Amino acid sequence: MNDLSSRNPDWWRQAVVYQVYPRSFADADGDGLGDVRGIAERLHHVAALGVDALWLSPFYPSELADGGYDIADHRDVDPRLGALDDFDAMVAEAHLLGLKVVVDIVPNHTSHRHPWFQEALRAGPGSAARDRYVFRAGRGERGELPPTDWQSVFGGSAWQRVPDGQWYLHLFASEQPDLNWDNEEVRADFRTTLRFWSDRGVDGFRIDVAHGLAKDLTEPLRDVGDLGPTGEEALEHVPPGSHPYWDRDEVHEIYRDWRKIFDSYTPPRTAVAEAWVPDARRALYARPDELGQAFNFEYLQAGWDADELRRVITGSLRTARTAGASATWVLSNHDVVRHTSRLTLPPGTDHDAWLLSGGRAPAIDEAAGLRRARAATLLMLALPGSAYVYQGEELGLPEVAGLPTKVLQDPIWEQSGHVRKGRDGCRVPLPWTTGGPSYGFGAAGAWLPQPPVFAAYAVQAQDGVEGSTLELYRRALRLRRKLLEGESLTWAPDAPAGVLQFARSDGWRCVTNLGDGPVPLPPGEVLLSSVPLPGGGVLPPDTTVWLA
C-alpha cells in the first residue's frame, strides 16, 4: 500500500504516476471496451506496483473521433464506460488502496457534439453561442477559402466550413472545434469543471494541450507561413510568446486563475501541463502560482546515447529548479511508440514509415528492445522528480506495429491521407491472462486486436516470476520509496565513455551502460540490476544498476 500521507501537499514532487487509458485497461461488462468498473476491479494491480497515483486519460462522453479527447460533456462519464456512481466508487477504492487520482482536463476544444457547438451551429453568425468558439468568414470572392493558412496537428487545414459559409477553427480533428478562451463564459465553465471533479475527490489534473488555449484573434488573423503546425518546430522561429496560437503569454493568466481553485482545497489539488514548448518556456507553466509541474518530453525523445541523455537530464533539472517545481520523466504514453520498441530502432528512424511497414522495415529484436527498455526504466526511476509510467510498460509490452489498417481508429490515419498510421499501436488493450478471447481484458474480444505474443507478456505469465519485467518494476518501485531523498544528483566525474553514473543526495548511485561493450562495475553493493549480472566485476551493455 502507498504510504504517502493524504495530508502531504507535496506528495506529487517525487511521485510515480501510473497512466491508465480507460478504454484499453480492463473491460468489466464484456463489450470489448475498457470501462470504469474494470479499472476499479484491477486497482490492486496498480497499488501492488508501488506507484503513488493513478492518472486517467479521458473517460468522458465522446464519439471517439480522437480516442476520447473529443468531449461532449466535461462533467460526466461516457455511458459505455459507466456512470458517475462508478467513478465515485473507483475513486473511493483508489483512496482506500493509498492511490491518488489524477484526471485529464481537455480545455482547448470540445466535441462537435457538445451542446454548445450544436447551439452555435443553429444560432448562426454573430451570435453569442458562436463566440464561445472561433468562427470566422472565409477568404476569396465567396468566402470559399479558409480564413488563414493555419494547419491541424493531424494534417490538413485547421478550418472547417459550415453550411452558412462561416468556418470554425480546429487545431486537431474537425470533430474537435477549438474554444474561444477570450470568452468569459468558457472560462467560468471550466472553473465549474475543476470544482466538480475536485469535489468528487480527484487529487489532481493533467492539462491537455496546455499551451494552446490563448490565441491571437485580433483582426485580420495572421497567417503563420512556414512556421509549421506543431509545437517546438513552430515556436523556434518567432519571439517567445508571440505565435498566433501556440504558447502565447496570455495563457498564463488562465492558469493563475485555476491555481486559486486548486489551493482552495486541502491538500491543494495538483496539476501538470502537457505543453510542447522549448525548455525555458516550460518553466512558466510549472510555476507555483500556475500549474506547479509540466511534462518534459526530452527524456522520451532522446536517443539511447549517454551524452545526449546527460544533457537532457541536466537541463530538465535546471528548468524545474527555475520554476520551483520538480522534474518530470516519461518514457511511454498514449501518443508515442512504446519504448520497448522505440529504443531499439536505429537513430533517425521515421516512426511513421516504420509503423506503415508493420514494424518490418527495419525489423527489430524484441528481446534486445526489452533489455534496453528495462535499463532505461531503472535510469528514469533513479532520477529526482516525478516519473510517469504508462499502462503495460510494467509488462514490457512492445508496440503493436502490425495492426491491419482496416481496424485503425486514430483519426490521424484518415486526416493524413493514409501516410501516418497513428497511435493505435500503443493503445491495444492489456493482457491480464495467458488465454481467453482477449487475454483477460474482458469476457469477449477487445476493441483493437491483440497479437498472440501478448500471452507471454500477460500479468498472469509474469506475476511472481523472478526476473520478469513486472517483478522488476515492483522491486524498483519498492526500493525507490526507501531510497528517495532530496531532489538533486551529482554526476560521477570519472565515468567511462558511454556510461551515465550519478549519486543521489543520500549516497546511493545509479550506473547505466549505454555503450557497445562491458565496462568495469563500480564498487558497492548491488541493490538492483535491470538484468542479471554476469559476474567478473563488469557491467554489460544496455544495463542499469543501483548501488549502495
Side-chain angles (χ1 to χ4, degrees):
M1 180 180 289
N2 179 320
D3 63 359
L4 285 180
S5 167
S6 62
R7 296 181 296 275
N8 177 12
D10 293 328
W11 66 267
W12 51 273
R13 293 191 69 92
Q14 297 212 67
V16 177
V17 183
Y18 184 93
Q19 181 190 358
V20 165
Y21 189 73
R23 290 166 176 82
S24 296
F25 190 68
D27 170 21
D29 61 11
D31 66 353
L33 200 63
D35 45 45
V36 175
R37 193 157 55 87
I39 296 170
E41 291 175 356
R42 295 289 190 180
L43 280 178
H44 283 276
H45 168 78
V46 181
L49 280 177
V51 303
D52 304 302
L54 183 75
W55 155 31
L56 300 180
S57 292
F59 50 85
Y60 313 107
S62 171
E63 67 172 322
L64 304 181
D66 180 23
Y69 284 85
D70 49 310
I71 297 172
D73 186 342
H74 290 79
R75 297 192 287 272
D76 205 352
V77 175
D78 191 309
R80 292 166 293 182
L81 275 64
L84 283 170
D85 286 347
D86 297 314
F87 180 85
D88 293 340
M90 183 209 64
V91 171
E93 178 67 11
H95 287 165
L96 190 65
L97 292 169
L99 294 167
K100 304 289 187 182
V101 177
V102 175
V103 300
D104 247 302
I105 291 293
V106 184
N108 182 70
H109 46 261
T110 72
S111 166
H112 66 154
R113 293 185 175 181
H114 192 286
W116 274 5
F117 192 73
Q118 291 300 306
E119 181 186 357
L121 292 179
R122 294 190 301 269
S127 63
R130 286 210 174 176
D131 189 58
R132 298 179 186 130
Y133 294 89
V134 183
F135 278 86
R136 289 294 185 273
R139 295 188 291 193
E141 292 183 7
R142 298 174 299 281
E144 73 278 9
L145 300 176
T148 68
D149 66 352
W150 299 358
Q151 295 289 294
S152 162
V153 172
F154 292 160
S157 174
W159 297 96
Q160 179 75 26
R161 202 176 193 189
V162 299
D164 59 39
Q166 279 203 315
W167 299 72
Y168 68 85
L169 179 67
H170 62 91
L171 290 179
F172 293 88
S174 60
E175 296 89 348
Q176 295 168 289
D178 278 49
L179 288 162
N180 172 18
W181 274 86
D182 290 341
N183 184 301
E184 178 53 36
E185 194 174 357
V186 171
R187 297 187 179 217
D189 192 69
F190 273 89
R191 294 185 195 110
T192 300
T193 294
L194 294 172
R195 292 190 183 99
F196 178 87
W197 294 112
S198 296
D199 290 345
R200 300 192 93 88
V202 164
D203 302 285
F205 302 94
R206 178 261 191 188
I207 313 304
D208 185 64
V209 196
H211 61 308
L213 279 57
K215 298 171 177 72
D216 182 3
L217 299 179
T218 54
E219 298 289 350
L221 297 182
R222 289 187 288 149
D223 283 344
V224 295
D226 297 328
L227 295 182
T230 58
E232 294 185 50
E233 297 92 338
L235 298 174
E236 290 169 356
H237 305 289
V238 295
S242 67
H243 189 277
Y245 50 85
W246 292 135
D247 188 38
R248 293 190 59 77
D249 288 334
E250 299 92 328
V251 78
H252 297 288
E253 66 181 84
I254 297 170
Y255 300 132
R256 284 191 289 273
D257 181 50
W258 287 12
R259 175 47 59 185
K260 297 172 187 174
I261 296 173
F262 300 150
D263 287 350
S264 70
Y265 291 86
T266 303
R269 296 327 190 218
T270 67
V272 58
E274 183 210 27
W276 291 87
V277 298
D279 220 23
R281 297 288 295 181
R282 189 173 67 244
L284 304 180
Y285 295 83
R287 290 178 292 193
D289 65 339
E290 293 193 29
L291 296 177
Q293 198 173 57
F295 281 124
N296 95 72
F297 297 106
E298 285 88 344
Y299 187 74
L300 182 153
Q301 294 173 317
W304 191 242
D305 177 84
D307 292 338
E308 182 180 3
L309 281 168
R310 178 166 174 163
R311 286 195 301 272
V312 166
I313 293 166
T314 301
S316 299
L317 291 171
R318 181 175 57 246
T319 298
R321 283 195 300 271
T322 299
S326 58
T328 62
W329 314 103
V330 61
L331 283 165
S332 285
N333 62 36
H334 64 292
D335 281 334
V336 300
V337 172
R338 285 188 177 273
H339 70 276
T340 301
S341 299
R342 187 183 72 247
L343 288 177
T344 197
L345 290 170
T349 298
D350 182 330
H351 291 172
D352 290 324
W354 180 73
L355 289 170
L356 277 175
S357 77
R360 294 186 293 271
I364 61 173
D365 182 335
E366 283 193 3
L370 181 58
R371 179 187 180 100
R372 189 167 284 185
R374 289 163 59 112
T377 294
L378 285 198
L379 171 60
M380 175 180 75
L381 293 177
L383 295 169
S386 297
Y388 287 78
V389 174
Y390 180 50
Q391 64 175 45
E393 70 171 78
E394 77 277 16
L395 306 177
L397 290 184
E399 182 79 3
V400 185
L403 286 173
T405 56
K406 65 181 179 182
V407 306
L408 297 181
Q409 306 283 325
D410 194 334
I412 288 177
W413 174 242
E414 294 296 339
Q415 266 193 254
S416 69
H418 297 176
V419 298
R420 295 170 60 197
K421 206 170 181 180
R423 301 158 294 180
D424 290 318
C426 65
R427 300 176 178 182
V428 174
L430 296 190
W432 294 93
T433 62
T434 56
S438 59
Y439 301 106
F441 169 69
W447 68 281
L448 283 172
Q450 302 149 300
V453 71
F454 264 32
Y457 290 97
V459 173
Q460 183 182 47
Q462 299 192 49
D463 185 27
V465 177
E466 180 67 25
S468 71
T469 302
L470 175 58
E471 292 301 336
L472 175 68
Y473 269 74
R474 288 172 174 170
R475 287 187 60 195
L477 290 169
R478 284 195 300 268
L479 190 55
R480 181 184 189 270
R481 187 177 301 281
K482 293 177 181 178
L483 295 172
L484 213 55
E485 185 178 321
E487 293 186 16
S488 62
L489 59 76
T490 302
W491 294 106
D494 54 352
V499 172
L500 285 178
Q501 180 178 342
F502 58 83
R504 292 295 304 272
S505 56
D506 49 354
W508 65 285
R509 290 166 292 155
C510 176
V511 188
T512 303
N513 182 5
L514 298 94
D516 296 327
V519 297
L521 181 68
E525 177 191 357
V526 175
L527 301 174
L528 188 62
S529 175
S530 59
V531 294
L533 298 178
V538 298
L539 183 66
D542 297 338
T543 305
T544 296
V545 293
W546 293 358
L547 298 171

